[in-house]
Amino acid sequence: MDPNPSPHPTDSQPEPPEKRLAALSLRSAHLPPDFAPAEIQEDDDDEGYLTAASRGGSSSCAAAAWKDEVDGLDDDKDVDVGPPSPSSSGYAGERGSSLASSAGVDDPQPQPDDWARDKKHLDEDDASASWRKRKKHFFILSNSGKPIYSRYGDEHKLAGFSATLQAIISFVENSGDHIKFVRAGKHQIVFLVKGPIYLVCISCTQESYEGLRGQLELMYGQMLLILTKSINKCFEKNPKFDMASLLGGTDAVFLSLIHAFSWNPATFLHAYTCIPLAQSTRKAASAVLQDVADSGVLFALLMCEHKVISLVGAQKETLHPDDIFLLSNFILSSESFRTSESFSPICIPRYNPMAFLYAYVHFFDENTYLTLLTSSANAFYDLKDSRSRIQNVLLKANVLDEVQKSLRESALRIEDLPADPSSRSVSPPPQFSEDVNSQLLSSEMAIGGPAGLWHFIYKSIYLDQYVSSEFPLVISNPKQQKRLYKAYKKMYASMHDKTIGPHKTQFRRDEDYVLFCWITQDFELYAAFNPLADKMQAIKICNRVCQWIRDLENEIFVYGESTLSW
Amino acid sequence: MGCSSSLPANNAGAVGNINNENSATDSKNLRVKLVLLGDSGVGKSCIVLRFVRGQFDPTSKVTVGASFLSQTLALEDSTTVKFEIWDTAGQERYAALAPLYYRGAGAAIVVYDITSPELFNKAQYWVKELQKHGSPDMIMALVGNKADLHDNRCVSSQDAKEYADRNSMFFIETSAKTADNINQLFEEIAKRLPRPAPS
Ligand SMILES: Nc1nc2c(ncn2[C@@H]2O[C@H](COP(=O)(O)OP(=O)(O)OP(=O)(O)O)[C@@H](O)[C@H]2O)c(=O)[nH]1
Ligand SMILES: [Mg+2]
């Protein structure tokens, strides 16, 4: 299944003429220095380096091999490329193959919000050994081969490499076909073509094609949020248009986005999560937001970090969960929003990719912020007034304190899973005839929750919201957490695989976990148990989890707001 | 400092242009919308934060869109001036949005970095834009920031001052880092504000 549930058409068609000129300046004479990378210091440990041995793939070699086969290439063709060509000057060429810098592979556990320490490594380019050993590259380039963004290294120095990527993509496009991915040794190269803009991920993280393409879609969405799709106009006027400078100062935004791919379930579930709150508290917040929305604001969002406290749309307007994620990622990673109230043009890609809205953003405290979106460029002072009205209500109803309290205390802990296997509980999923020959766990062996439950994520399909449990001690460090998310992502991809699915349940055991996934019309449940967990027990526990969620739903979900995706 | 402004000293238009003006602006308590323009990284936000909060944070926080801050300044003649400040983003993609923020502004500060000749050119671009599209009685200041980095100076004070004089701006060099001339900058603007006739 398309990881991206919106039925919006893809962008390969010609753009309709835009009604509104996006406010983009095309004066390229004075390119502003991009100083954001200077403050970023450390590599993301988990995705830092490949081992020397796995440095197999080479895009230029992939390109060469692939050209030989191009006649047989169809839409879905997966090209396997042989051993790397030592003469290649591309992605995995042999030049400068010193391994000196591979020392930092195992940095001690960075905290989840340590993304800012991830370095862009401006000194690197495609000739650097360190650059070639990165586990996961992201590139954005134009269809004329001009670099727009690179996760690592200086875009300008990667012109040659970009041209190689462009050659691969254009070659296929010109023959009326689309390239989806190329496999080269352990590397997978995934392509996404969006009109004049090409997005490419080169990864040896063994994530699924669908998953990686979903990540590229989000990168494209993040770019639209900053520039709108009317950027395409610039390429119509000038195919050699240099877009990189228009993204100046946004490195932290993309860095945080890429980091979120490995820790934020919103990026693969396409759902958002709420901060648990007493119903009355949330009602107080929602009521005043609704008030404001009725007086000319399109969307009012109150969030704490990446969790929703309340959100309201004017009339029947809706915000797609991906847009909520991209918006909060943009705000949380642009530090200037925390300094003072701001008024800034922002495009909400699923709402209207062609035009800017204006966002009034104000942080009430370190992590709680209000965003008011309007289509009126002159609304700042009105929104500022609305904000102080909202602030008064929030203070009176003690909402901000409750939010802080919830942040500290109200996580779902698996140890708190009610013991009572309620008689009302839904019947367990059918067809579990296979008798798993596993040791029954004694209760003291069940580390974590009952029957070895370690963690779960529950997504309400109807609400487009998910909740996840607190990580137990056994999965307490970020590396373990990333690994679990990776396992969930894999599960997600296979559950939604169109060719062999859709599946209703899946039970998977490996050395790390027992994973159980269950999808119904109403929800998707992903649960991780300790690797020795018993299957029947696990299923029983999952029923209890679902019942538990239903008992808590008024506190852990936002209801009554118009947030359904279209 | 260059105080050779030839701006009309008596014009009530600018101050009254603030959107949503609702509190009384009497002859003792002025209020003015002020906008900062200039390329990314010249130090606009640092200047504002130095003035409003007395702080200097050397880590860059690239402004998005524009930030709004206000600060009231008491002058020696016992008048007060409330600055409503728009600290705009210097990134290229926001350039076309500048009118949104300078429209109706009574004062504008165009900032460059004394260590970069290109940024001085960019400042001249903003001056021209304001002359063309800003309100005619806007008080304009040309500010050479990062004066503490005089060892790396690339733009001479003399050149900048001459340019400012030719364009009826006043000129001052500041350092947000050392706080040098920051208050003077805003006081100078405050002094030049048109005083509404006492009624
Ligand atoms: N030495 C020195 N550095 C300064 C001074 N003012 C600002 N800086 C540095 O210049 C950098 C950019 O300053 P900002 O105030 O963020 O620049 P800006 O003009 O607001 O940039 P945008 O928001 O992108 O338009 C920061 O890293 C500051 O540390 C100064 O007076 N002296
Ligand atoms: Mg700034």
Side-chain angles (χ1 to χ4, degrees):
Chain A
M1 187 183 146
D2 192 328
N4 207 335
S6 154
H8 270 254
T10 49
D11 309 80
S12 37
Q13 299 97 352
E15 303 310 337
E18 84 215 69
K19 303 230 166 54
R20 253 188 83 133
L21 251 184
L24 295 171
S25 156
L26 305 186
R27 282 179 301 267
S28 52
H30 337 271
L31 303 186
D34 176 356
F35 46 64
E39 56 181 329
I40 298 161
Q41 286 148 22
E42 187 105 30
D43 195 45
D44 174 1
D45 73 323
D46 203 18
E47 306 193 334
Y49 296 92
L50 304 181
T51 62
S54 67
R55 202 155 32 96
S58 143
S59 70
S60 35
C61 122
W66 159 85
K67 270 177 192 155
D68 296 334
E69 296 187 53
V70 74
D71 286 345
L73 192 75
D74 63 35
D75 216 40
D76 275 319
K77 186 129 184 185
D78 162 11
V79 183
D80 272 300
V81 175
S85 137
S87 63
S88 156
S89 63
Y91 176 57
E94 295 301 305
R95 203 140 48 91
S97 60
S98 138
L99 299 180
S101 51
S102 60
V105 181
D106 265 314
D107 277 347
Q109 316 163 12
Q111 290 310 298
D113 49 7
D114 256 8
W115 57 268
R117 294 164 66 234
D118 195 357
K119 229 193 228 160
K120 194 171 157 69
H121 298 278
L122 279 177
D123 49 321
E124 290 183 2
D125 58 30
D126 53 334
S128 326
S130 53
W131 189 87
R132 281 178 272 126
K133 279 182 287 165
R134 306 267 167 217
K135 275 189 179 175
K136 201 171 176 184
H137 283 275
F138 284 95
F139 303 99
I140 308 179
L141 53 136
S142 75
N143 61 358
S144 70
K146 272 219 160 50
I148 296 171
Y149 171 82
S150 169
R151 176 182 184 183
Y152 298 112
D154 180 342
E155 289 82 10
H156 299 286
K157 289 196 219 148
L158 292 170
F161 183 75
S162 274
T164 309
L165 291 174
Q166 184 268 342
I168 301 177
I169 301 167
S170 295
F171 194 92
V172 186
E173 293 282 314
N174 291 343
S175 58
D177 212 335
H178 304 290
I179 186 163
K180 292 170 107 180
F181 63 93
V182 172
R183 200 160 280 156
K186 285 192 176 165
H187 288 84
Q188 184 167 210
I189 309 172
V190 176
F191 301 90
L192 182 66
V193 173
K194 294 286 189 182
I197 292 164
Y198 296 164
L199 298 100
V200 181
C201 174
I202 302 179
S203 130
C204 63
T205 56
Q206 280 154 4
E207 289 168 270
S208 68
Y209 159 72
E210 299 289 341
L212 293 173
R213 207 201 54 183
Q215 294 173 9
L216 289 177
E217 290 275 1
L218 286 173
M219 294 220 42
Y220 181 65
Q222 192 74 77
M223 201 203 80
L224 291 185
L225 185 133
I226 298 166
L227 295 175
T228 79
K229 203 163 152 187
S230 52
I231 192 77
N232 289 1
K233 280 261 157 188
C234 304
F235 289 100
E236 282 165 30
K237 282 186 206 132
N238 171 16
K240 296 249 178 279
F241 172 62
D242 181 10
M243 191 179 136
S245 58
L246 289 187
L247 288 176
T250 59
D251 271 318
V253 176
F254 286 97
L255 207 55
S256 148
L257 173 67
I258 291 168
H259 187 80
F261 295 151
S262 59
W263 74 263
N264 189 341
T267 59
F268 63 94
L269 290 174
H270 305 286
Y272 64 95
T273 194
C274 299
I275 193 151
L277 277 182
Q279 224 177 337
S280 58
T281 307
R282 201 185 312 273
K283 253 195 189 137
S286 300
V288 66
L289 292 192
Q290 187 67 59
D291 236 33
V292 166
D294 291 341
S295 64
V297 171
L298 270 176
F299 298 105
L301 289 97
L302 183 62
M303 297 186 68
C304 179
E305 290 169 356
H306 56 281
K307 295 178 177 170
V308 171
I309 298 165
S310 176
L311 90 142
V312 166
Q315 285 134 24
K316 294 242 154 24
E317 303 294 3
T318 58
L319 265 187
H320 190 282
D322 284 354
D323 283 343
I324 297 173
F325 165 72
L326 292 171
L327 180 65
S328 62
N329 181 63
F330 182 73
I331 292 173
L332 291 169
S333 59
S334 307
E335 283 219 53
S336 79
F337 285 119
R338 293 167 196 267
T339 318
S340 59
E341 56 194 330
S342 303
F343 192 60
S344 166
I346 274 177
C347 165
I348 302 295
R350 305 273 190 149
Y351 177 72
N352 181 357
M354 297 308 293
F356 278 123
L357 295 177
Y358 296 88
Y360 172 91
V361 180
H362 177 83
F363 273 78
F364 291 117
D365 53 44
E366 208 175 304
N367 38 29
T368 309
Y369 55 100
L370 174 72
T371 309
L372 302 174
L373 291 165
T374 172
S375 52
S376 157
N378 299 313
F380 173 78
Y381 291 93
D382 292 340
L383 299 184
K384 187 173 160 62
D385 287 347
S386 298
R387 186 265 299 168
S388 64
R389 234 176 352 130
I390 292 168
Q391 192 162 11
N392 286 339
V393 172
L394 296 182
L395 288 177
K396 232 181 242 153
N398 209 27
V399 176
L400 298 176
D401 287 342
E402 291 294 322
V403 166
Q404 290 304 314
K405 203 169 125 210
S406 169
L407 206 56
R408 288 192 306 267
E409 298 163 8
S410 309
L412 291 174
R413 281 185 211 89
I414 42 179
E415 306 91 84
D416 301 338
L417 181 64
D420 163 41
S422 161
S423 50
R424 305 171 289 145
S425 74
V426 278
S427 51
Q431 89 262 102
F432 283 111
S433 47
E434 176 207 357
D435 190 23
V436 182
N437 179 19
S438 65
Q439 309 91 318
L440 264 168
L441 288 171
S442 64
S443 55
E444 60 268 24
M445 270 186 72
I447 324 154
L453 176 64
W454 278 353
H455 186 258
F456 68 84
I457 298 181
Y458 177 103
K459 171 182 170 181
S460 160
I461 292 169
Y462 170 69
L463 294 172
D464 269 337
Q465 296 171 40
Y466 75 90
V467 285
S468 58
S469 66
E470 188 94 314
F471 286 106
L473 266 178
V474 282
I475 314 181
S476 57
N477 83 44
K479 214 163 197 163
Q480 295 165 323
Q481 294 169 2
K482 281 184 183 179
R483 193 179 319 135
L484 176 59
Y485 280 140
K486 210 164 156 183
Y488 282 150
K489 279 192 266 186
K490 214 169 180 177
M491 200 80 162
Y492 182 94
S494 76
M495 290 298 280
H496 292 86
D497 187 322
K498 276 200 210 83
T499 54
I500 54 165
H503 293 298
K504 289 206 169 69
T505 57
Q506 201 178 142
F507 191 83
R508 182 183 291 196
R509 188 189 297 273
D510 63 25
E511 67 257 37
D512 293 326
Y513 327 96
V514 161
L515 285 180
F516 180 68
C517 178
W518 180 16
I519 298 185
T520 73
Q521 273 187 327
D522 302 320
F523 63 83
E524 299 184 7
L525 178 70
Y526 300 82
F529 294 81
N530 94 38
L532 303 178
D534 171 72
K535 187 168 172 181
M536 291 319 289
Q537 287 281 60
I539 291 163
K540 277 203 191 108
I541 292 294
C542 286
N543 277 315
R544 275 166 55 191
V545 168
C546 292
Q547 186 56 48
W548 191 32
I549 298 294
R550 247 163 267 148
D551 293 343
L552 293 176
E553 61 189 3
N554 287 324
E555 280 157 34
I556 55 182
F557 294 126
V558 177
Y559 278 96
E561 272 87 43
S562 46
T563 56
L564 291 180
S565 55
W566 46 78
Chain B
M1 72 197 73
C3 297
S4 57
S5 164
S6 61
L7 283 173
N10 190 11
N11 188 319
V15 181
N17 272 346
I18 300 167
N19 292 350
N20 207 30
E21 176 72 286
N22 45 22
S23 75
T25 303
D26 57 46
S27 55
K28 286 286 175 197
N29 299 292
L30 307 179
R31 186 159 143 173
V32 64
K33 174 176 167 179
L34 179 148
V35 65
L36 282 95
L37 296 166
D39 213 340
S40 184
V42 297
K44 299 180 295 298
S45 301
C46 289
I47 290 173
V48 174
L49 290 176
R50 172 60 84 182
F51 173 59
V52 174
R53 298 192 187 147
Q55 299 165 344
F56 177 74
D57 177 355
T59 61
S60 286
K61 299 192 165 82
V62 186
T63 304
V64 176
S67 302
F68 182 84
L69 295 101
S70 57
Q71 171 73 311
T72 304
L73 196 64
L75 298 181
E76 280 165 13
D77 65 357
S78 79
T79 54
T80 67
V81 176
K82 183 177 184 196
F83 288 101
E84 301 197 323
I85 304 169
W86 280 106
D87 169 24
T88 66
Q91 287 291 343
E92 189 183 340
R93 64 179 167 281
Y94 296 112
L97 284 178
L100 192 64
Y101 305 109
Y102 67 66
R103 200 185 306 137
I109 298 177
V110 175
V111 186
Y112 67 93
D113 173 346
I114 65 156
T115 67
S116 161
E118 299 104 75
L119 297 183
F120 185 57
N121 291 338
K122 190 69 184 284
Q124 301 180 9
Y125 159 82
W126 283 117
V127 170
K128 283 190 201 106
E129 163 131 3
L130 287 172
Q131 284 166 343
K132 236 189 270 166
H133 303 292
S135 57
D137 41 16
M138 184 188 275
I139 294 167
M140 296 207 301
L142 180 67
V143 172
N145 189 40
K146 309 200 187 179
D148 54 294
L149 301 177
H150 39 77
D151 289 346
N152 300 324
R153 175 189 289 278
C154 291
V155 182
S156 83
S157 319
Q158 194 55 38
D159 292 354
K161 167 102 170 55
E162 276 166 19
Y163 176 81
D165 287 348
R166 278 201 305 280
N167 290 278
S168 322
M169 308 170 77
F170 84 86
F171 169 69
I172 189 169
E173 286 189 351
T174 59
S175 167
K177 188 174 177 180
T178 64
D180 232 23
N181 273 348
I182 298 291
N183 270 333
Q184 287 84 334
L185 163 63
F186 288 88
E187 277 164 18
E188 209 44 60
I189 292 173
K191 280 187 208 152
R192 282 153 203 263
L193 288 177
R195 302 294 197 267
S199 48

